């Protein structure tokens, strides 16, 4: 029996791909958005194998008209149960070395993209008087680091937007969770233009984040996890030493 539809953005690879597959295994039908048609098809094939319905649309979340067009298909889904705002990009550079085009591209995907997708989907969840919104932010929001002005600002803005939405739709029973991962072994660039799974030693795996997001969808409807900060035990990232001294 269907558990309703979940929209996952940035579902062509990385955390979005893993999350889509995890949610499919939990029985959710899926709407998958990203720009890469081939990547979406590969994710859809894995999700369909779990026996759920899957719809894919090539969408640049930073372009309002594309999101509006894709959202028209969403209206046909009889029950939108949740949204995973996962599409994101980031390239590390100091403020002085961040050209305007890079700043705008980062904000357009991470912050404007969240705005466009939220505007399209929050009314649907609010009308149902149920649903879960999960935003994939970053621990950069908690620990702003040098060399990543555009990314940190965009993700912090997205976090603020999610908090506003939480308060606006709380009385409609819509829950909002911000997930703040430390490093994850995906294609995400950060400081590494050639990043690919297998190149971030000691980081979380995409499946780890997917497992946690899947768990959020399994919670009773009266439970809201508002913020979730996760890191690999092998991570030494962040302002505090995370390595535990073994006796
Ligand atoms: O990265 P990657 P992750 N419109 O590059 C899509 C956050 N995060 O899985 O459009 C629509 O493997 C892109 O698809 P495509 C991070 O900020 C990561 O690690 O086909 N989709 C692909 O499916 C991000 O929010 C780390 O190119 C767009 C996906 O996004 C989320 O995790 C740490 C798009 C990116 O897959 C997933 O990133 C952290 C657009 N305009 C937070 N632009 C980490 N990996 O270390 C991109 O704290 N996508």
């Amino acid at each position: 029996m269907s558990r309703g539809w979940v929209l996952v953005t940035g579902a062509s690879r990385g955390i979005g791909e893993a999350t889509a597959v995890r949610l499919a295994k939990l029985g959710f039908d899926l709407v998958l958005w990203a720009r890469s048609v081939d990547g979406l098809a590969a994710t859809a094939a894995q999700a369909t194998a779990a026996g759920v319905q899957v719809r894919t649309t090539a969408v640049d979340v930073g372009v309002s008209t594309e999101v509006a067009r894709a959202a028209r298909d969403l209206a046909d889904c009889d029950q939108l149960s949740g949204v995973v705002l996962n599409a994101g990009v980031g390239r590390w550079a100091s403020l002085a070395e961040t050209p305007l085009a890079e700043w705008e591209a980062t904000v357009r995907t991470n912050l404007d993209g969240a705005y466009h997708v939220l505007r399209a989907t929050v009314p649907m969840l609010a009308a149902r008087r149920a649903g879960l919104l999960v935003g994939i932010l970053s621990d950069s929001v908690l620990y702003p680091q040098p060399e990543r002005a555009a990314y940190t600002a965009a993700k912090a803005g997205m976090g603020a937007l999610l908090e506003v939405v939480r308060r606006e739709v709380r009385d409609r029973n819509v829950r909002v969770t911000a997930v703040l991962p430390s490093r994850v072994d995906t294609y995400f660039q950060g400081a590494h233009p050639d990043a690919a799974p297998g190149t971030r030693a000691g980081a979380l795996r995409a499946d780890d984040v997917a497992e946690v997001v899947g768990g959020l969808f399994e919670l009773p409807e009266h439970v809201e996890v508002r913020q979730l900060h996760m890191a690999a035990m092998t991570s030494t990232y962040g302002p505090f030493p995370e390595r535990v001294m073994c006796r």
Side-chain angles (χ1 to χ4, degrees):
M1 196 167 65
S2 171
R3 301 183 64 184
W5 292 81
V6 178
L7 166 64
V8 182
T9 70
S12 63
R13 59 178 192 238
I15 295 169
E17 173 190 8
T19 298
V21 173
R22 181 75 196 135
L23 291 173
K25 288 179 178 164
L26 293 175
F28 290 96
D29 296 317
L30 296 171
V31 178
L32 307 178
W33 290 357
R35 294 164 302 178
S36 160
V37 173
D38 291 347
L40 285 174
T43 305
Q46 297 176 69
T48 307
V52 299
Q53 304 177 72
V54 182
R55 298 181 183 183
T56 61
T57 308
V59 185
D60 183 334
V61 296
V63 178
S64 63
T65 49
E66 292 194 21
V67 174
R69 173 181 50 79
R72 282 199 283 276
D73 291 342
L74 267 184
D76 292 343
C77 300
D78 36 8
Q79 183 186 316
L80 185 66
S81 294
V83 179
V84 182
L85 295 154
N86 166 74
V89 291
R91 259 173 277 180
W92 295 177
S94 68
L95 177 62
E97 288 167 352
T98 301
L100 178 60
E102 178 68 25
W103 169 272
E104 290 180 341
T106 306
V107 172
R108 187 163 56 242
T109 298
N110 296 289
L111 180 54
D112 296 354
Y115 161 77
H116 299 316
V117 175
L118 288 167
R119 281 221 45 204
T121 57
V122 167
M124 294 183 204
L125 298 176
R128 265 200 67 221
R129 294 189 164 269
L132 176 62
L133 278 170
V134 178
I136 307 297
L137 302 179
S138 166
D139 65 351
S140 297
V141 171
L142 296 176
Y143 314 128
Q145 304 266 358
E147 310 286 326
R148 62 192 72 170
Y151 181 71
T152 303
K155 288 291 190 185
M158 181 183 166
L161 190 58
L162 285 173
E163 281 302 317
V164 170
V165 169
R166 179 201 312 289
R167 286 165 173 78
E168 289 182 351
V169 291
R170 190 159 187 72
D171 63 348
R172 303 299 175 93
N173 225 22
V174 178
R175 295 170 291 154
V176 180
T177 303
V179 176
L180 288 69
S182 183
R183 299 186 317 144
V184 190
D185 187 28
T186 66
Y187 292 91
F188 183 83
Q189 290 193 335
H192 311 287
D194 301 323
T199 59
R200 272 194 179 87
L204 291 164
R205 293 167 310 196
D207 282 344
D208 300 327
V209 183
E211 183 87 18
V212 164
V213 175
L216 294 169
F217 278 87
E218 293 285 77
L219 290 170
E221 287 195 2
H222 68 281
V223 178
E224 180 181 53
V225 176
R226 294 178 180 166
Q227 192 179 82
L228 205 154
H229 180 201
M230 61 185 292
M233 290 298 285
T234 43
S235 174
T236 55
Y237 224 56
F240 313 115
E242 293 180 2
R243 206 173 274 154
V244 177
M245 297 299 290
C246 298
R247 292 174 196 277

